[in-house]
Amino acid sequence: MATTDSTVPIIRIFDTTLRDGEQSPGASLNRAEKIEIARALEQLNVDVIEAGFPITSPDDFEAVQAIADAVTEPTVCGLARCMSKDIERAGQAVKNARRGRVHVFCATSEIHRTFKLKRAQDEIVKMSVDGVQQALQYVKDVEFSPEDASRTEPDYLAEVVQAVIAAGAKTVNIPDTVGYATPGHFGPLIKYLFEHVPNINDAVISVHCHNDLGLAVANSLAAVENGARQVECTINGIGERAGNAALEEVVMALRTRHDIFKAATKIRTERLFPTSRLVSTLTGIHVQRNKAIVGQNAFAHEAGIHQDGILKERTTYEIMKPADVGISKSELVLGKHSGRHALRERLTELGFTLTDEQMTAAFERFKVLADKKKEIFDEDLEAIVEGMIKDAADVWELVKLQTTAGTGVIPTATIELRDYKGDVHVDAATGDGPIDAAYSAIQRLVGVADAELKDYQIRAVTGGRDAQGEVTVTVQINGKTFKGRAFSTDIIEASARAYLNAINRSLFRCELDAGNKPEHV
Ligand code: KIV
Ligand code: ZN
């Protein structure tokens, strides 16, 4: 754990993986996946989890509620515009949290005032103050963000910050919404606020930086040097467009360069790598190999001269210990003789906190896979658990798949599906190839007429001929786009499961959009 020397300030870590991170193109998480990530964030010891934007959909609302029930230590926060309906939804969503927070925001920059909100400066101040006051009717802990703060006139920004603090905001977050700031601009902006807002010490000053110029972490750190005491960030830096400041980078920079920042966090750094793996598995957003702290190459030394140095003295080429961020050099290879205990240990190291019931299901799947594959790698285990978490909300389950294909044969697929009531349905179809045939049979069985495959990708998650294939599909169903993903050692099966996964997501969404709690959940 990072140093918690009582003489240094503690920087609060506000994680927005489940809100801004989930806004990343291509990331979409179901409720069970969000809860799994929230539990991992609690293990990581983040101070605040921004769990969603409740007004955006009934699904988001219920996910925030479910996270408020699932975690006890971190504050659970819901986002709202300065609009009455938004604030009411956010307030209701975090009502049951042990520590609930409503985060209201209103754009303040001239560009946003003129083109988006079409409001004058004094109207924006009033909307912001009213928003904070309304949020205080639901929770004691209210955060306010002047959106696009880094492009707002500093004197006007100071006026807004002063007004919302006077209205009762306990945290004021300064976002670099479009990733426009640089450290030499953003640090002094925070300093300016400390010098020009008389009541600034009545609130915690926070920052929220986007990475459009690759400066999100540097800007966040410059803000800390100038008095910010909360940093908003996401695991693996996922988020809108180029993403947000990466939590693991902010935390490890503060820790490794304690000599400069003289500040600490409460993060259990050895949980960083497992949490990163979990988020990349569940969102499907892979971490680049050379990503700082959690990338596959972050602690790999290729050059002979470096390897030689490391063997003589680790610190010649390493500024952090792999174990400090949770990268273990575990040689434990799981296979068909491994027991439940070894599996649980490894899953915990990979960031999963499974209930006993989930563990039993994971162990069953592990045994099935171990019969097909000699060695089970971490990626295989992630695939198993991911499949399980997804299935939790499935309407349709693949029971059997049989295909015939080859030269001079008409590709045919016979599919058996079970619906959520337990009834089994069978159909067969032909197609351009076995996958196309399987997709036609599935489409007929589930009765979704308007489904168009927009994208299909396949990759091997591990090496070797018995590797599991990961198939990711994008399917347009009734005009909306859904992603589906599945793993199997059989790529036709993985393809069918991925397609079904996208259909299940669309059916889940349909029920929610119709205002129903899905019957099958
Ligand atoms: O980037 C941004 O400005 C935001 C706010 C809602 C804080 O995400
Ligand atoms: Zn943002």
Side-chain angles (χ1 to χ4, degrees), residues 385-412:
V385 181
E386 187 192 351
M388 238 175 59
I389 294 173
K390 286 205 188 313
D391 290 356
D394 283 356
V395 179
W396 293 98
E397 182 196 344
L398 180 70
V399 183
K400 258 192 214 151
L401 156 80
Q402 193 185 352
T403 53
T404 344
T407 319
V409 205
I410 297 177
T412 313

PDB file of all heavy atoms in Angstrom, residues 385-412:
ATOM      1  N   VAL A 385     -14.588 -16.612 -17.109  1.00  0.00           N
ATOM      2  CA  VAL A 385     -15.382 -15.791 -16.191  1.00  0.00           C
ATOM      3  C   VAL A 385     -16.184 -14.761 -16.981  1.00  0.00           C
ATOM      4  O   VAL A 385     -17.329 -14.480 -16.667  1.00  0.00           O
ATOM      5  CB  VAL A 385     -14.501 -15.132 -15.112  1.00  0.00           C
ATOM      6  CG1 VAL A 385     -15.353 -14.320 -14.164  1.00  0.00           C
ATOM      7  CG2 VAL A 385     -13.761 -16.196 -14.349  1.00  0.00           C
ATOM      8  N   GLU A 386     -15.575 -14.234 -18.017  1.00  0.00           N
ATOM      9  CA  GLU A 386     -16.316 -13.252 -18.803  1.00  0.00           C
ATOM     10  C   GLU A 386     -17.573 -13.884 -19.379  1.00  0.00           C
ATOM     11  O   GLU A 386     -18.662 -13.325 -19.314  1.00  0.00           O
ATOM     12  CB  GLU A 386     -15.458 -12.689 -19.933  1.00  0.00           C
ATOM     13  CG  GLU A 386     -16.222 -11.562 -20.590  1.00  0.00           C
ATOM     14  CD  GLU A 386     -15.625 -11.100 -21.893  1.00  0.00           C
ATOM     15  OE1 GLU A 386     -14.532 -11.520 -22.244  1.00  0.00           O
ATOM     16  OE2 GLU A 386     -16.305 -10.319 -22.561  1.00  0.00           O
ATOM     17  N   GLY A 387     -17.423 -15.088 -19.943  1.00  0.00           N
ATOM     18  CA  GLY A 387     -18.575 -15.788 -20.514  1.00  0.00           C
ATOM     19  C   GLY A 387     -19.652 -15.971 -19.463  1.00  0.00           C
ATOM     20  O   GLY A 387     -20.836 -15.744 -19.695  1.00  0.00           O
ATOM     21  N   MET A 388     -19.213 -16.309 -18.245  1.00  0.00           N
ATOM     22  CA  MET A 388     -20.167 -16.567 -17.168  1.00  0.00           C
ATOM     23  C   MET A 388     -20.935 -15.316 -16.763  1.00  0.00           C
ATOM     24  O   MET A 388     -22.130 -15.340 -16.574  1.00  0.00           O
ATOM     25  CB  MET A 388     -19.355 -16.990 -15.957  1.00  0.00           C
ATOM     26  CG  MET A 388     -19.680 -18.284 -15.400  1.00  0.00           C
ATOM     27  SD  MET A 388     -18.467 -18.548 -14.124  1.00  0.00           S
ATOM     28  CE  MET A 388     -18.735 -17.164 -13.038  1.00  0.00           C
ATOM     29  N   ILE A 389     -20.191 -14.218 -16.653  1.00  0.00           N
ATOM     30  CA  ILE A 389     -20.835 -12.980 -16.214  1.00  0.00           C
ATOM     31  C   ILE A 389     -21.843 -12.544 -17.267  1.00  0.00           C
ATOM     32  O   ILE A 389     -22.943 -12.119 -16.972  1.00  0.00           O
ATOM     33  CB  ILE A 389     -19.787 -11.889 -15.940  1.00  0.00           C
ATOM     34  CG1 ILE A 389     -18.937 -12.311 -14.746  1.00  0.00           C
ATOM     35  CG2 ILE A 389     -20.448 -10.562 -15.640  1.00  0.00           C
ATOM     36  CD1 ILE A 389     -17.761 -11.411 -14.486  1.00  0.00           C
ATOM     37  N   LYS A 390     -21.481 -12.697 -18.525  1.00  0.00           N
ATOM     38  CA  LYS A 390     -22.403 -12.300 -19.597  1.00  0.00           C
ATOM     39  C   LYS A 390     -23.666 -13.153 -19.558  1.00  0.00           C
ATOM     40  O   LYS A 390     -24.762 -12.674 -19.693  1.00  0.00           O
ATOM     41  CB  LYS A 390     -21.730 -12.494 -20.944  1.00  0.00           C
ATOM     42  CG  LYS A 390     -20.699 -11.469 -21.236  1.00  0.00           C
ATOM     43  CD  LYS A 390     -20.525 -11.333 -22.725  1.00  0.00           C
ATOM     44  CE  LYS A 390     -19.351 -10.455 -23.061  1.00  0.00           C
ATOM     45  NZ  LYS A 390     -19.297  -9.225 -22.319  1.00  0.00           N
ATOM     46  N   ASP A 391     -23.486 -14.482 -19.346  1.00  0.00           N
ATOM     47  CA  ASP A 391     -24.636 -15.374 -19.399  1.00  0.00           C
ATOM     48  C   ASP A 391     -25.687 -15.034 -18.361  1.00  0.00           C
ATOM     49  O   ASP A 391     -26.840 -15.402 -18.500  1.00  0.00           O
ATOM     50  CB  ASP A 391     -24.192 -16.825 -19.172  1.00  0.00           C
ATOM     51  CG  ASP A 391     -23.391 -17.317 -20.372  1.00  0.00           C
ATOM     52  OD1 ASP A 391     -23.266 -16.566 -21.341  1.00  0.00           O
ATOM     53  OD2 ASP A 391     -22.900 -18.458 -20.315  1.00  0.00           O
ATOM     54  N   ALA A 392     -25.262 -14.309 -17.290  1.00  0.00           N
ATOM     55  CA  ALA A 392     -26.194 -14.019 -16.200  1.00  0.00           C
ATOM     56  C   ALA A 392     -27.456 -13.322 -16.687  1.00  0.00           C
ATOM     57  O   ALA A 392     -28.498 -13.421 -16.076  1.00  0.00           O
ATOM     58  CB  ALA A 392     -25.495 -13.171 -15.159  1.00  0.00           C
ATOM     59  N   ALA A 393     -27.364 -12.566 -17.777  1.00  0.00           N
ATOM     60  CA  ALA A 393     -28.545 -11.825 -18.214  1.00  0.00           C
ATOM     61  C   ALA A 393     -29.050 -12.331 -19.560  1.00  0.00           C
ATOM     62  O   ALA A 393     -29.705 -11.620 -20.282  1.00  0.00           O
ATOM     63  CB  ALA A 393     -28.196 -10.345 -18.292  1.00  0.00           C
ATOM     64  N   ASP A 394     -28.745 -13.577 -19.902  1.00  0.00           N
ATOM     65  CA  ASP A 394     -29.088 -14.056 -21.230  1.00  0.00           C
ATOM     66  C   ASP A 394     -30.518 -14.576 -21.349  1.00  0.00           C
ATOM     67  O   ASP A 394     -31.024 -15.262 -20.474  1.00  0.00           O
ATOM     68  CB  ASP A 394     -28.121 -15.166 -21.645  1.00  0.00           C
ATOM     69  CG  ASP A 394     -26.785 -14.580 -22.064  1.00  0.00           C
ATOM     70  OD1 ASP A 394     -26.672 -13.343 -22.103  1.00  0.00           O
ATOM     71  OD2 ASP A 394     -25.877 -15.366 -22.345  1.00  0.00           O
ATOM     72  N   VAL A 395     -31.156 -14.241 -22.475  1.00  0.00           N
ATOM     73  CA  VAL A 395     -32.481 -14.764 -22.784  1.00  0.00           C
ATOM     74  C   VAL A 395     -32.314 -16.104 -23.476  1.00  0.00           C
ATOM     75  O   VAL A 395     -33.052 -17.050 -23.236  1.00  0.00           O
ATOM     76  CB  VAL A 395     -33.214 -13.789 -23.741  1.00  0.00           C
ATOM     77  CG1 VAL A 395     -34.589 -14.325 -24.092  1.00  0.00           C
ATOM     78  CG2 VAL A 395     -33.324 -12.409 -23.128  1.00  0.00           C
ATOM     79  N   TRP A 396     -31.323 -16.198 -24.360  1.00  0.00           N
ATOM     80  CA  TRP A 396     -31.096 -17.410 -25.157  1.00  0.00           C
ATOM     81  C   TRP A 396     -29.734 -17.989 -24.837  1.00  0.00           C
ATOM     82  O   TRP A 396     -28.757 -17.269 -24.731  1.00  0.00           O
ATOM     83  CB  TRP A 396     -31.141 -17.069 -26.650  1.00  0.00           C
ATOM     84  CG  TRP A 396     -32.489 -16.642 -27.132  1.00  0.00           C
ATOM     85  CD1 TRP A 396     -32.929 -15.370 -27.306  1.00  0.00           C
ATOM     86  CD2 TRP A 396     -33.568 -17.499 -27.514  1.00  0.00           C
ATOM     87  NE1 TRP A 396     -34.215 -15.365 -27.776  1.00  0.00           N
ATOM     88  CE2 TRP A 396     -34.636 -16.672 -27.911  1.00  0.00           C
ATOM     89  CE3 TRP A 396     -33.743 -18.886 -27.555  1.00  0.00           C
ATOM     90  CZ2 TRP A 396     -35.874 -17.180 -28.349  1.00  0.00           C
ATOM     91  CZ3 TRP A 396     -34.962 -19.386 -27.996  1.00  0.00           C
ATOM     92  CH2 TRP A 396     -36.008 -18.548 -28.377  1.00  0.00           C
ATOM     93  N   GLU A 397     -29.714 -19.326 -24.776  1.00  0.00           N
ATOM     94  CA  GLU A 397     -28.439 -19.996 -24.495  1.00  0.00           C
ATOM     95  C   GLU A 397     -28.205 -21.028 -25.592  1.00  0.00           C
ATOM     96  O   GLU A 397     -29.139 -21.735 -26.010  1.00  0.00           O
ATOM     97  CB  GLU A 397     -28.582 -20.684 -23.130  1.00  0.00           C
ATOM     98  CG  GLU A 397     -27.357 -21.376 -22.640  1.00  0.00           C
ATOM     99  CD  GLU A 397     -27.701 -22.352 -21.507  1.00  0.00           C
ATOM    100  OE1 GLU A 397     -28.802 -22.248 -20.929  1.00  0.00           O
ATOM    101  OE2 GLU A 397     -26.866 -23.233 -21.247  1.00  0.00           O
ATOM    102  N   LEU A 398     -26.976 -21.121 -26.061  1.00  0.00           N
ATOM    103  CA  LEU A 398     -26.652 -22.112 -27.091  1.00  0.00           C
ATOM    104  C   LEU A 398     -26.489 -23.478 -26.429  1.00  0.00           C
ATOM    105  O   LEU A 398     -25.685 -23.630 -25.511  1.00  0.00           O
ATOM    106  CB  LEU A 398     -25.353 -21.727 -27.801  1.00  0.00           C
ATOM    107  CG  LEU A 398     -24.906 -22.674 -28.910  1.00  0.00           C
ATOM    108  CD1 LEU A 398     -25.827 -22.578 -30.119  1.00  0.00           C
ATOM    109  CD2 LEU A 398     -23.470 -22.383 -29.320  1.00  0.00           C
ATOM    110  N   VAL A 399     -27.272 -24.444 -26.891  1.00  0.00           N
ATOM    111  CA  VAL A 399     -27.173 -25.781 -26.310  1.00  0.00           C
ATOM    112  C   VAL A 399     -26.324 -26.670 -27.224  1.00  0.00           C
ATOM    113  O   VAL A 399     -25.395 -27.332 -26.775  1.00  0.00           O
ATOM    114  CB  VAL A 399     -28.575 -26.411 -26.125  1.00  0.00           C
ATOM    115  CG1 VAL A 399     -28.470 -27.778 -25.459  1.00  0.00           C
ATOM    116  CG2 VAL A 399     -29.470 -25.493 -25.323  1.00  0.00           C
ATOM    117  N   LYS A 400     -26.663 -26.671 -28.532  1.00  0.00           N
ATOM    118  CA  LYS A 400     -25.907 -27.522 -29.466  1.00  0.00           C
ATOM    119  C   LYS A 400     -25.725 -26.809 -30.776  1.00  0.00           C
ATOM    120  O   LYS A 400     -26.584 -26.014 -31.191  1.00  0.00           O
ATOM    121  CB  LYS A 400     -26.704 -28.808 -29.725  1.00  0.00           C
ATOM    122  CG  LYS A 400     -26.191 -29.984 -28.975  1.00  0.00           C
ATOM    123  CD  LYS A 400     -26.812 -31.261 -29.489  1.00  0.00           C
ATOM    124  CE  LYS A 400     -26.992 -32.227 -28.325  1.00  0.00           C
ATOM    125  NZ  LYS A 400     -28.112 -33.126 -28.532  1.00  0.00           N
ATOM    126  N   LEU A 401     -24.636 -27.153 -31.429  1.00  0.00           N
ATOM    127  CA  LEU A 401     -24.357 -26.570 -32.739  1.00  0.00           C
ATOM    128  C   LEU A 401     -23.692 -27.659 -33.570  1.00  0.00           C
ATOM    129  O   LEU A 401     -22.751 -28.301 -33.114  1.00  0.00           O
ATOM    130  CB  LEU A 401     -23.402 -25.384 -32.552  1.00  0.00           C
ATOM    131  CG  LEU A 401     -22.552 -24.977 -33.737  1.00  0.00           C
ATOM    132  CD1 LEU A 401     -23.379 -24.142 -34.712  1.00  0.00           C
ATOM    133  CD2 LEU A 401     -21.375 -24.136 -33.280  1.00  0.00           C
ATOM    134  N   GLN A 402     -24.260 -27.874 -34.759  1.00  0.00           N
ATOM    135  CA  GLN A 402     -23.618 -28.852 -35.635  1.00  0.00           C
ATOM    136  C   GLN A 402     -23.525 -28.229 -37.015  1.00  0.00           C
ATOM    137  O   GLN A 402     -24.516 -27.677 -37.510  1.00  0.00           O
ATOM    138  CB  GLN A 402     -24.468 -30.119 -35.669  1.00  0.00           C
ATOM    139  CG  GLN A 402     -23.725 -31.261 -36.273  1.00  0.00           C
ATOM    140  CD  GLN A 402     -24.593 -32.497 -36.418  1.00  0.00           C
ATOM    141  OE1 GLN A 402     -25.723 -32.529 -35.925  1.00  0.00           O
ATOM    142  NE2 GLN A 402     -24.086 -33.479 -37.114  1.00  0.00           N
ATOM    143  N   THR A 403     -22.348 -28.274 -37.620  1.00  0.00           N
ATOM    144  CA  THR A 403     -22.233 -27.674 -38.958  1.00  0.00           C
ATOM    145  C   THR A 403     -21.610 -28.681 -39.923  1.00  0.00           C
ATOM    146  O   THR A 403     -20.842 -29.556 -39.518  1.00  0.00           O
ATOM    147  CB  THR A 403     -21.348 -26.417 -38.929  1.00  0.00           C
ATOM    148  OG1 THR A 403     -20.102 -26.736 -38.326  1.00  0.00           O
ATOM    149  CG2 THR A 403     -21.984 -25.268 -38.204  1.00  0.00           C
ATOM    150  N   THR A 404     -21.990 -28.515 -41.195  1.00  0.00           N
ATOM    151  CA  THR A 404     -21.341 -29.299 -42.249  1.00  0.00           C
ATOM    152  C   THR A 404     -20.821 -28.288 -43.252  1.00  0.00           C
ATOM    153  O   THR A 404     -21.549 -27.363 -43.630  1.00  0.00           O
ATOM    154  CB  THR A 404     -22.355 -30.190 -43.013  1.00  0.00           C
ATOM    155  OG1 THR A 404     -23.542 -30.295 -42.270  1.00  0.00           O
ATOM    156  CG2 THR A 404     -21.791 -31.528 -43.382  1.00  0.00           C
ATOM    157  N   ALA A 405     -19.570 -28.448 -43.641  1.00  0.00           N
ATOM    158  CA  ALA A 405     -18.998 -27.543 -44.633  1.00  0.00           C
ATOM    159  C   ALA A 405     -17.855 -28.269 -45.326  1.00  0.00           C
ATOM    160  O   ALA A 405     -17.402 -29.311 -44.864  1.00  0.00           O
ATOM    161  CB  ALA A 405     -18.481 -26.282 -43.953  1.00  0.00           C
ATOM    162  N   GLY A 406     -17.411 -27.726 -46.432  1.00  0.00           N
ATOM    163  CA  GLY A 406     -16.290 -28.344 -47.151  1.00  0.00           C
ATOM    164  C   GLY A 406     -16.431 -28.066 -48.626  1.00  0.00           C
ATOM    165  O   GLY A 406     -17.374 -27.389 -49.054  1.00  0.00           O
ATOM    166  N   THR A 407     -15.501 -28.566 -49.425  1.00  0.00           N
ATOM    167  CA  THR A 407     -15.552 -28.318 -50.857  1.00  0.00           C
ATOM    168  C   THR A 407     -16.663 -29.172 -51.475  1.00  0.00           C
ATOM    169  O   THR A 407     -16.772 -30.360 -51.185  1.00  0.00           O
ATOM    170  CB  THR A 407     -14.195 -28.687 -51.480  1.00  0.00           C
ATOM    171  OG1 THR A 407     -13.180 -28.226 -50.591  1.00  0.00           O
ATOM    172  CG2 THR A 407     -14.017 -28.067 -52.846  1.00  0.00           C
ATOM    173  N   GLY A 408     -17.512 -28.507 -52.272  1.00  0.00           N
ATOM    174  CA  GLY A 408     -18.583 -29.222 -52.962  1.00  0.00           C
ATOM    175  C   GLY A 408     -19.767 -29.577 -52.076  1.00  0.00           C
ATOM    176  O   GLY A 408     -20.615 -30.394 -52.452  1.00  0.00           O
ATOM    177  N   VAL A 409     -19.836 -29.019 -50.881  1.00  0.00           N
ATOM    178  CA  VAL A 409     -20.985 -29.286 -49.985  1.00  0.00           C
ATOM    179  C   VAL A 409     -21.675 -27.957 -49.708  1.00  0.00           C
ATOM    180  O   VAL A 409     -21.005 -26.917 -49.627  1.00  0.00           O
ATOM    181  CB  VAL A 409     -20.524 -29.812 -48.601  1.00  0.00           C
ATOM    182  CG1 VAL A 409     -21.580 -30.642 -47.909  1.00  0.00           C
ATOM    183  CG2 VAL A 409     -19.193 -30.481 -48.642  1.00  0.00           C
ATOM    184  N   ILE A 410     -23.000 -27.973 -49.537  1.00  0.00           N
ATOM    185  CA  ILE A 410     -23.690 -26.727 -49.162  1.00  0.00           C
ATOM    186  C   ILE A 410     -23.544 -26.560 -47.650  1.00  0.00           C
ATOM    187  O   ILE A 410     -23.970 -27.443 -46.887  1.00  0.00           O
ATOM    188  CB  ILE A 410     -25.178 -26.778 -49.553  1.00  0.00           C
ATOM    189  CG1 ILE A 410     -25.294 -26.901 -51.074  1.00  0.00           C
ATOM    190  CG2 ILE A 410     -25.927 -25.552 -49.046  1.00  0.00           C
ATOM    191  CD1 ILE A 410     -26.709 -27.036 -51.583  1.00  0.00           C
ATOM    192  N   PRO A 411     -22.907 -25.473 -47.222  1.00  0.00           N
ATOM    193  CA  PRO A 411     -22.722 -25.297 -45.772  1.00  0.00           C
ATOM    194  C   PRO A 411     -24.069 -25.247 -45.027  1.00  0.00           C
ATOM    195  O   PRO A 411     -24.974 -24.512 -45.424  1.00  0.00           O
ATOM    196  CB  PRO A 411     -21.982 -23.966 -45.669  1.00  0.00           C
ATOM    197  CG  PRO A 411     -21.384 -23.755 -47.023  1.00  0.00           C
ATOM    198  CD  PRO A 411     -22.335 -24.376 -47.990  1.00  0.00           C
ATOM    199  N   THR A 412     -24.177 -26.059 -44.006  1.00  0.00           N
ATOM    200  CA  THR A 412     -25.432 -26.162 -43.249  1.00  0.00           C
ATOM    201  C   THR A 412     -25.124 -26.092 -41.759  1.00  0.00           C
ATOM    202  O   THR A 412     -24.087 -26.599 -41.321  1.00  0.00           O
ATOM    203  CB  THR A 412     -26.103 -27.541 -43.525  1.00  0.00           C
ATOM    204  OG1 THR A 412     -26.093 -27.758 -44.928  1.00  0.00           O
ATOM    205  CG2 THR A 412     -27.524 -27.607 -42.998  1.00  0.00           C
TER     206      THR A 412
END
